[in-house]
Amino acid sequence: MGEVSRLYGVTLRALRFYEQRGLLNPIRRGGARLYDGGQKIRLQMILKGKHLGFTLTEIADLLDADSGRDKNDDFVLDEKMVLSQLRHLEERRTELDQAIEELRTAHRKLAAGGR
């Protein structure tokens, strides 16, 4: 488990959480968890899904949808899903840009000695 944690840059806690959520199913030998090639691919897909902004529930659905096809580290996304996620991320970006600007304004006021 520690090796997989280091290899993929995730915490042990995250790996246990993904296992509890049913996203990963490592082989157990005593107290050790062993991740075979299929589990490592699933972890890569989980991390990619997170990078793309999908929730763990959405990632679980994507993993389930992909379970019947050849294993690789890419999701099968349909156009509706891609466009929906793009809109969601663009909305988040707008909100983040607004928050950043508010904080910059507050910082300028503080730096100028005002409140």
Side-chain angles (χ1 to χ4, degrees):
M1 190 166 172
E3 178 184 335
V4 170
S5 171
R6 284 185 298 280
L7 183 64
Y8 292 96
V10 296
T11 64
L12 297 175
R13 182 176 178 201
L15 289 173
R16 287 189 295 271
F17 182 71
Y18 297 152
E19 185 179 349
Q20 289 169 349
R21 292 286 305 260
L23 298 171
L24 292 175
N25 188 22
I27 300 163
R28 290 185 173 254
R29 292 227 175 98
R33 291 174 173 91
L34 305 174
Y35 295 84
D36 63 12
Q39 291 302 300
K40 289 177 182 177
I41 288 172
R42 285 181 70 87
L43 179 56
Q44 289 172 3
M45 292 177 75
I46 292 165
L47 297 175
K48 181 173 185 172
K50 286 179 49 90
H51 174 73
L52 294 175
F54 289 106
T55 66
L56 288 181
T57 300
E58 291 167 329
I59 292 168
D61 291 343
L62 289 167
L63 288 170
D64 288 345
D66 283 351
S67 65
R69 61 187 198 94
D70 290 338
K71 298 291 182 205
N72 64 38
D73 61 355
D74 207 4
F75 291 116
V76 173
L77 301 171
D78 62 30
E79 184 177 14
K80 180 181 174 185
M81 188 179 296
V82 169
L83 291 174
S84 173
Q85 191 63 10
L86 278 170
R87 276 191 300 278
H88 172 72
L89 291 175
E90 287 168 348
E91 288 170 7
R92 281 184 46 204
R93 180 174 56 192
T94 299
E95 292 167 1
L96 288 170
D97 286 343
Q98 291 169 351
I100 288 168
E101 189 52 41
E102 286 180 39
L103 289 169
R104 284 188 176 138
T105 300
H107 182 257
R108 283 192 294 272
K109 287 178 183 178
L110 290 169
R115 280 185 160 255

